[in-house]
Amino acid sequence: MINKINALLKEVENLKAANAEELEALRIKYLSKKGEISLLMNDFRNIAADQKREVGQHLNKLKEATQNKINELKANFENVQTADDDIDLTRTAYPIELGTRHPLSLVKKEICDIFGRLGFSIAEGPEIEDDWHVFSSLNFAEDHPARDMQDTFFIQHNPDVLLRTHTSSVQTRVMENQEPPIRIICPGRVYRNEAISYRAHCFFHQVEALYVDKNVSFADLKQALLFFAKEMFSADTKIRLRPSYFPFTEPSAEMDISCNICGGKGCPFCKGTGWVEILGCGMVDPNVLENCGIDSKVYSGYALGMGIERITNLKYQVKDLRMFSENDVRFLRQFESAN
Ligand code: DAH
């Protein structure tokens, strides 16, 4: 057996490999589980006890020499490769493709940043909700149409497990757990059972803002809204509030901004009116405060909610809502330079 080992040792010392494949073949031939050296290791078991020591030493030497040889060959042609004349050191750096932020993420971040400057902090809540947080606590009447299966996705026909239809549910979650003053901004995905088209989708995104403290007034709301509109669009943006109705606010309003595409002159986007609607808002209904354990005689608050897709459309004029969820890189790459 010692002869066999010595013969192999000689063989190994003279090994050559021209490329990585050849080297890998050698490694397999000698060092793999079924390679020459493993076979010798198997034979080693049958060797007489008094010879084990000597043969073992030879075997170890062979194993080490083979490993060294393979490493040496590898280093050889790794060096050859880096010294290769074909490498052009004047070439520009390898183009590293950077990912881009999704337009909805860009706009969400911008909205949160603007409210952040007014002292609002981010709050989040679950997308799978219960009736209390999405509807009942927010003063929705038992027979309110938004509770209908037509609008809301219920899970497994259990009317108490549903996908939230708006981020207003986070208002309740925070008010239940926090004492005023509360000043939060809640971005998130919402779901509605809508047929998918260029102007509606079964999921979309909203941002909700809530401010509850002593002496919060409608004037505070208006000031925050004006600040938001100017920061988000441009310093000369005008706002207009129209009376509206939401179960969870009283009084309620919808806010329009002067159309940022035509500057208020009238265009197809604003249907010639010079105004576009961007959000709903109002003073938190005292019932809602009480539902969450907040004394409505001591505290008041305002709330507002807007669709991120809507704001993104206004900023970037994306005409088809479906583009936001198709993951078409030709669309997404256009936002590369934004932020
Ligand atoms: N939750 C409303 C919706 O989904 C949006 C909204 C309107 C939120 C008025 C508010 C609000 O906080 O005050 O359409």
Side-chain angles (χ1 to χ4, degrees):
M1 180 149 179
I2 292 199
N3 288 344
K4 207 168 169 189
I5 293 176
N6 284 338
L8 263 181
L9 197 58
K10 277 233 166 64
E11 197 177 311
V12 163
E13 273 161 13
N14 294 320
L15 285 182
K16 286 193 175 58
N19 53 38
E21 283 99 66
E22 279 186 34
L23 181 66
E24 179 59 8
L26 290 180
R27 192 194 62 76
I28 292 171
K29 180 167 181 224
Y30 293 99
L31 292 173
S32 67
K33 264 199 186 142
K34 288 188 181 151
E36 303 270 5
I37 293 177
S38 298
L39 295 181
L40 283 176
M41 292 282 190
N42 287 343
D43 294 346
F44 180 66
R45 276 190 226 128
N46 308 323
I47 286 238
D50 58 342
Q51 291 177 26
K52 275 217 153 124
R53 201 177 130 86
E54 199 192 345
V55 175
Q57 279 170 353
H58 276 80
L59 250 182
N60 278 341
K61 201 171 140 200
L62 172 66
K63 204 173 164 190
E64 219 180 290
T66 313
Q67 189 65 61
N68 288 344
K69 186 70 189 177
I70 299 253
N71 289 346
E72 184 192 314
L73 289 173
K74 197 169 162 196
N76 263 348
F77 65 67
E78 272 176 359
N79 287 342
V80 167
Q81 263 200 352
T82 44
D84 196 338
D85 292 343
D86 289 347
I87 290 184
D88 176 4
L89 297 174
T90 63
R91 225 180 79 175
T92 50
Y94 184 70
I96 298 167
E97 295 234 12
L98 286 182
T100 58
R101 276 186 207 258
H102 192 280
L104 293 178
S105 304
L106 287 173
V107 171
K108 174 181 81 178
K109 181 174 179 298
E110 213 174 327
I111 299 170
C112 292
D113 284 352
I114 295 170
F115 279 94
R117 294 202 281 281
L118 291 175
F120 285 72
S121 49
I122 291 175
E124 285 177 329
E127 292 178 12
I128 301 173
E129 266 291 7
D130 51 32
D131 177 277
W132 171 253
H133 290 94
V134 177
F135 297 125
S136 299
S137 65
L138 294 167
N139 219 21
F140 279 80
E142 206 48 54
D143 56 356
H144 194 285
R147 294 183 170 208
D148 203 294
M149 292 273 274
Q150 305 295 319
D151 284 322
T152 308
F153 286 115
F154 292 94
I155 290 169
Q156 289 185 337
H157 303 290
N158 178 347
D160 203 30
V161 185
L162 49 99
L163 294 176
R164 67 179 179 194
T165 55
H166 56 180
T167 44
S168 305
S169 53
V170 187
Q171 284 189 25
T172 305
R173 292 211 168 257
V174 173
M175 285 195 285
E176 279 174 339
N177 293 305
Q178 227 170 286
E179 301 271 308
I182 293 170
R183 209 182 286 167
I184 49 156
I185 176 107
C186 327
R189 182 173 283 178
V190 301
Y191 301 83
R192 285 184 202 175
N193 195 357
E194 300 257 5
I196 298 172
S197 72
Y198 76 98
R199 54 195 292 266
H201 211 296
C202 58
F203 66 80
F204 54 99
H205 301 80
Q206 288 188 334
V207 172
E208 184 88 10
L210 171 73
Y211 178 31
V212 181
D213 202 348
K214 289 177 180 151
N215 301 320
V216 176
S217 72
F218 202 92
D220 297 323
L221 169 62
K222 214 171 146 186
Q223 196 56 44
L225 290 172
L226 183 62
F227 176 78
F228 168 72
K230 286 177 180 290
E231 291 285 299
M232 190 74 208
F233 297 99
S234 65
D236 52 5
T237 304
K238 293 186 191 65
I239 64 168
R240 138 179 127 168
L241 292 167
R242 284 178 290 104
S244 183
Y245 172 78
F246 299 104
F248 36 92
T249 44
E250 180 59 36
S252 306
E254 273 165 313
M255 182 174 95
D256 301 338
I257 58 164
S258 49
C259 178
N260 71 322
I261 291 161
C262 61
K265 286 189 206 80
C267 68
F269 193 84
C270 59
K271 299 195 185 81
T273 63
W275 296 94
V276 282
E277 184 198 320
I278 67 162
L279 55 79
C281 59
M283 300 306 291
V284 182
D285 192 300
N287 287 340
V288 174
L289 294 174
E290 297 291 339
N291 283 340
C292 301
I294 292 177
D295 188 345
S296 63
K297 294 195 186 63
V298 179
Y299 293 103
S300 57
Y302 67 68
L304 59 104
M306 68 187 101
I308 302 181
E309 278 81 351
R310 175 102 185 122
I311 307 288
T312 311
N313 281 348
L314 270 170
K315 271 207 94 116
Y316 297 114
Q317 282 108 59
V318 179
K319 298 226 169 61
D320 187 336
L321 261 184
R322 291 169 293 197
M323 315 262 308
F324 290 127
S325 48
E326 278 170 353
N327 279 340
D328 184 336
V329 287
R330 291 167 303 178
F331 168 68
L332 297 173
R333 280 223 178 98
Q334 296 177 58
F335 300 89
E336 218 152 2
S337 57
N339 275 6

